[in-house]
Amino acid sequence: IVTVRFKVGEETGPSLVTVHDKLASHLDKMPAGVQMPPLVKVKGIDDVPVVTLTLWSPELDGGSLRRLGLHLLQQLKQIPNTGQGFVVGGQAQQIRVEILPDKLRGKGITTADVIQVIRGSNAEEMVGRAESDNTASRIYAGSFLKSPRDVENLVVRVIDGTPIYVRDVAIVDWANEEAASYVNYYTGPAYAEVESIEKQADGDLAITVAIAKKEGSNGVTVANDILAMVESLKGRLIPEQVEVEVTRNYGETAQEKVNELLFKLVVATGIVTLLVWYALGVKPAIVVTVVIPVVILMTVFAAFVMGFSIDRVSLFALIFSIGILVDDAIVVVENIYRRWLIGGEPSTEIAIDAVREVGNPTILATFTVVAALMPMAFVSGLMGPYMAPIPVLGSIAMLISLFAAFAFTSYLAMRIRPSMAQLEKAEQAEHASNEKLDRLFRRIIPKLLDSKTAGYGFLAGLLVLFFAVMAMFYTTAVTVKMLPYDNKPEFAVVIDMPEGTALPATANMARELAERLREIPEVTALQTYAGTARPFDFNGMVRHYYLREDPWLAEIQVQLLNKKERARSSHEIAEAARALLTPIAREAGARVTIAEMPPGPPVVQAVVAEIYGPDAETRRQVASDITGIFESVEGLA
């Protein structure tokens, strides 16, 4: 046994996760038979399952379902880039020894004798050491019992030269362990809308197979490969009386988000192109539009070199950058055209001098934008790494756009140069537009300057509009939020019964709440987990929901229709579910928490109070008082 002691929490010292990972990395180098038990249940972002499959059946028991789930997990682990996997629910197999009292009395053997023989035989210990050929070896005696046959063949006692085996006084066979948790599956009112076959589940026994992906792999590809293998195993490994439901598919949700962001990327590029086309003409629009994919491709390459993955946040950074990364190109093109008009010819020398003329201010403006973005990259905590792609990739895109403006834009402007007639026509159109604005301002501004009534009336109108806009924040007429709630296809209900509640009572409460949730029309299915934790998501990873294994703890996974098929958002449905379930839970002395996937990095809770005191009694009293204060505050759930 090796004991490692180290300091935790000091800035110069390693974290618990770092030490654990370094110790775990040495497992492959250890000799066979030497194992490292887990120090703590350390979970990282790559341990979050990307796909969960719920197997349910009205015919099979929990033990059969769990064995089927383990066999299925073994097959799925053969898929490349799959990571950690586990099975939730069901009962594991164990060897059951049913002692027959009648046969014991006839042989003068007691129950304690049988127990002592089995316990003594189910052991393995080191009895010595040996050295040979410069190699030190350990010598072990005994072995663990692995099957009913091993137990049956144990000799309890020898009477008159005749051995009495365990099989002579007991029935030994495989059996399911006692249920320490319950997992049940329910179909909702919207289930028929997503399934072509009419299958209804009303709390049928179930197990959930969860599997994660390896770090750096494509979650969409891994999820699709998993689902393809599951389909191929139906009818072979998975019998017909077992239904398989995909209760989580982060590959699908990630693909939807990426497609949505790519569409917005195209839309943003199109809008910029149309604006440049309207303001400068067709050929400048072509020049500026060609620069956009060049800058984006070079930025993506820079992200690859720096170790950033192309995910939803990094794509958002590119969309955010499109509006500003064309500024440099527009300035260069516009000044080249202006100088050509002044010079009377589209010569190369004039173009070079035009780029030189705006070079320094363009560089200064670009660096100003980078200086405004970069401080976000040094934010600490969870928000820092989460939002880091925006300032980093945004700044890189700006620097690349600066290079592209001087190199590519000036080259393309020469290759796709308009004629002088087109330039003069564009100048006349711009001059006409300016004259219209000039006439408008000359009609309005002198009146505001000459008439006190008009001037002060205009100023009063501005003030009224300003404070009216500010009032929208206070009245919440406009919701102001950095990261608004996303419209997710799921949410969870976390149930805390009074400490010490028996498992059946917790399971009954979970069922009662599930029945109420089945009244919500957008619900397609539910899974209840009593005495065990559901497969954790990103929110559960931070909140440590995977540690919820006590008999008085339960969770409900609620699945909803696709957001395109329902009018209400998932947040609105979750609020309705909270109002529906809270009275039932309070009547039973329980607490329910509606756990939605946060729009940004998850946190332990929105509001956390840490109580420190001289003794347990004082701390509990203060904690109880603060809990009462929390419950009285509107908006705290």
Side-chain angles (χ1 to χ4, degrees):
I1 299 176
V2 179
T3 302
V4 181
R5 290 192 178 97
F6 57 94
K7 294 181 180 180
V8 181
E10 295 187 359
E11 295 182 0
T12 56
S15 68
L16 184 60
V17 177
T18 303
V19 174
H20 183 274
D21 290 348
K22 285 187 178 294
L23 290 174
S25 67
H26 288 284
L27 276 175
D28 295 335
K29 305 173 185 177
M30 292 183 179
V34 179
Q35 297 181 355
M36 185 189 75
L39 303 176
V40 289
K41 291 186 177 181
V42 177
K43 302 293 183 184
I45 194 170
D46 294 301
D47 296 322
V48 176
V50 295
V51 174
T52 61
L53 306 166
T54 299
L55 282 62
W56 62 276
S57 173
E59 301 178 25
L60 300 185
D61 59 14
S64 301
L65 284 172
R66 184 173 182 85
R67 289 193 294 275
L68 175 60
L70 291 171
H71 291 154
L72 176 61
L73 180 61
Q74 187 177 13
Q75 294 294 322
L76 297 178
K77 288 288 289 180
Q78 299 176 20
I79 298 174
N81 293 322
T82 53
Q84 179 186 9
F86 55 91
V87 177
V88 181
Q91 289 85 49
Q93 273 193 328
Q94 63 183 13
I95 301 174
R96 181 176 64 184
V97 180
E98 184 180 350
I99 299 175
L100 305 174
D102 294 340
K103 294 190 176 183
L104 286 179
R105 285 194 295 268
K107 296 180 173 59
I109 301 173
T110 64
T111 302
D113 295 335
V114 179
I115 294 173
Q116 185 176 358
V117 167
I118 296 174
R119 181 177 293 156
S121 302
N122 188 36
E124 180 182 276
E125 60 179 329
M126 188 181 72
V127 296
R129 299 175 182 270
E131 292 186 2
S132 164
D133 296 330
N134 295 326
T135 301
S137 304
R138 297 187 180 98
I139 301 173
Y140 290 88
S143 63
F144 295 110
L145 302 173
K146 299 177 181 178
S147 67
R149 182 182 294 273
D150 294 341
V151 180
E152 285 179 336
N153 293 332
L154 294 177
V155 177
V156 181
R157 182 178 296 179
V158 177
I159 301 176
D160 297 332
T162 302
I164 306 300
Y165 296 95
V166 171
R167 63 174 177 266
D168 296 328
V169 296
I171 299 174
V172 185
D173 199 1
W174 288 112
N176 294 333
E177 65 179 358
E178 292 185 8
S181 63
Y182 295 114
V183 178
N184 301 92
Y185 187 82
Y186 301 81
T187 52
Y191 183 78
E193 298 183 33
V194 295
E195 288 289 337
S196 58
I197 303 175
E198 286 291 339
K199 299 174 293 187
Q200 298 296 325
D202 186 20
D204 293 328
L205 282 178
I207 59 102
T208 299
V209 180
I211 190 162
K213 69 177 184 69
K214 287 185 178 178
E215 181 181 1
S217 59
N218 189 328
V220 177
T221 305
V222 173
N224 291 338
D225 292 344
I226 290 173
L227 298 182
M229 176 170 282
V230 171
E231 286 297 322
S232 69
L233 293 175
K234 288 182 178 179
R236 299 190 293 123
L237 176 65
I238 304 173
E240 294 182 356
Q241 63 265 39
V242 175
E243 304 293 344
V244 182
E245 303 290 347
V246 180
T247 49
R248 179 189 299 174
N249 185 356
Y250 281 169
E252 181 181 11
T253 55
Q255 187 68 62
E256 288 180 358
K257 284 293 182 184
V258 169
N259 290 340
E260 183 179 344
L261 288 169
L262 287 175
F263 173 74
K264 292 178 179 178
L265 193 65
V266 174
V267 169
T269 304
I271 291 174
V272 169
T273 302
L274 291 175
L275 288 173
V276 177
W277 186 3
Y278 172 77
L280 298 178
V282 177
K283 291 185 177 180
I286 295 174
V287 173
V288 173
T289 304
V290 169
V291 171
I292 293 176
V294 171
V295 173
I296 289 178
L297 287 174
M298 294 180 71
T299 305
V300 169
F301 176 74
F304 169 73
V305 172
M306 299 177 67
F308 286 102
S309 61
I310 300 302
D311 53 21
R312 284 167 279 184
V313 179
S314 55
L315 281 174
F316 172 77
L318 296 178
I319 297 172
F320 161 77
S321 301
I322 283 179
I324 55 178
L325 62 83
V326 295
D327 289 350
D328 296 343
I330 291 173
V331 168
V332 170
V333 171
E334 194 172 23
N335 199 54
I336 290 175
Y337 288 178
R338 184 184 69 86
R339 290 292 303 276
W340 279 346
L341 282 169
I342 295 173
E345 60 172 341
S347 66
T348 304
E349 292 76 10
I350 293 177
I352 292 173
D353 191 60
V355 175
R356 177 203 60 77
E357 188 177 23
V358 295
N360 289 339
T362 304
I363 293 172
L364 183 61
T366 302
F367 283 176
T368 302
V369 175
V370 171
L373 287 175
M374 281 309 293
M376 191 190 300
F378 299 96
V379 175
S380 59
L382 281 174
M383 185 60 78
Y386 184 84
M387 303 296 286
I390 295 177
V392 174
L393 296 184
S395 300
I396 291 174
M398 285 300 299
L399 294 174
I400 294 174
S401 71
L402 179 65
F403 170 77
F406 293 152
F408 298 111
T409 304
S410 55
Y411 171 79
L412 291 172
M414 295 298 302
R415 290 294 180 181
I416 314 176
R417 73 177 74 182
S419 63
M420 291 302 298
Q422 290 174 322
L423 289 176
E424 290 171 357
K425 184 179 179 181
E427 183 188 23
Q428 292 172 0
E430 183 181 2
H431 183 69
S433 176
N434 290 339
E435 285 184 338
K436 290 179 182 179
L437 289 175
D438 182 70
R439 287 194 296 269
L440 175 65
F441 289 149
R442 286 186 181 278
R443 282 199 303 267
I444 296 175
I445 293 178
K447 292 181 180 180
L448 298 178
L449 296 176
D450 298 338
S451 172
K452 287 187 177 181
T453 304
Y456 283 113
F458 182 74
L459 179 60
L462 286 179
L463 293 174
V464 169
L465 288 175
F466 174 77
F467 286 108
V469 171
M470 293 296 104
M472 290 182 178
F473 295 96
Y474 178 76
T475 60
T476 67
V478 175
T479 304
V480 181
K481 193 171 185 182
M482 180 179 178
L483 295 171
Y485 276 107
D486 199 0
N487 200 352
K488 298 288 186 180
E490 62 179 0
F491 66 88
V493 179
V494 181
I495 306 168
D496 294 308
M497 295 290 285
E499 190 170 335
T501 303
L503 179 62
T506 306
N508 289 337
M509 173 55 65
R511 180 180 182 88
E512 183 178 354
L513 297 180
E515 291 293 348
R516 294 305 301 271
L517 288 169
R518 293 174 81 182
E519 299 174 4
I520 299 176
E522 295 91 345
V523 172
T524 59
L526 306 101
Q527 303 91 52
T528 61
Y529 298 84
T532 186
R534 66 189 175 95
F536 62 97
D537 50 21
F538 297 110
N539 198 29
M541 177 194 72
V542 174
R543 296 187 176 186
H544 300 157
Y545 282 164
Y546 52 84
L547 299 176
R548 296 173 55 84
E549 297 177 350
D550 292 315
W552 52 86
L553 304 177
E555 296 181 49
I556 304 176
Q557 179 75 16
V558 184
Q559 293 176 265
L560 306 173
L561 283 170
N562 188 281
K563 62 182 179 181
K564 299 177 182 178
E565 301 173 7
R566 49 184 162 86
R568 291 194 295 179
S569 68
S570 60
H571 182 61
E572 293 172 334
I573 299 172
E575 288 185 324
R578 179 184 290 116
L580 196 66
L581 302 182
T582 301
I584 302 174
R586 283 182 177 173
E587 186 177 350
R591 291 181 178 273
V592 292
T593 302
I594 307 299
E596 300 179 71
M597 283 294 292
V603 294
V604 176
Q605 287 292 350
V607 179
V608 178
E610 295 186 2
I611 292 104
Y612 301 87
D615 52 67
E617 184 178 354
T618 303
R619 290 192 297 269
R620 283 188 173 274
Q621 182 60 46
V622 174
S624 177
D625 295 340
I626 291 181
T627 303
I629 295 172
F630 280 179
E631 291 177 344
S632 66
V633 175
E634 183 181 357
L636 286 184

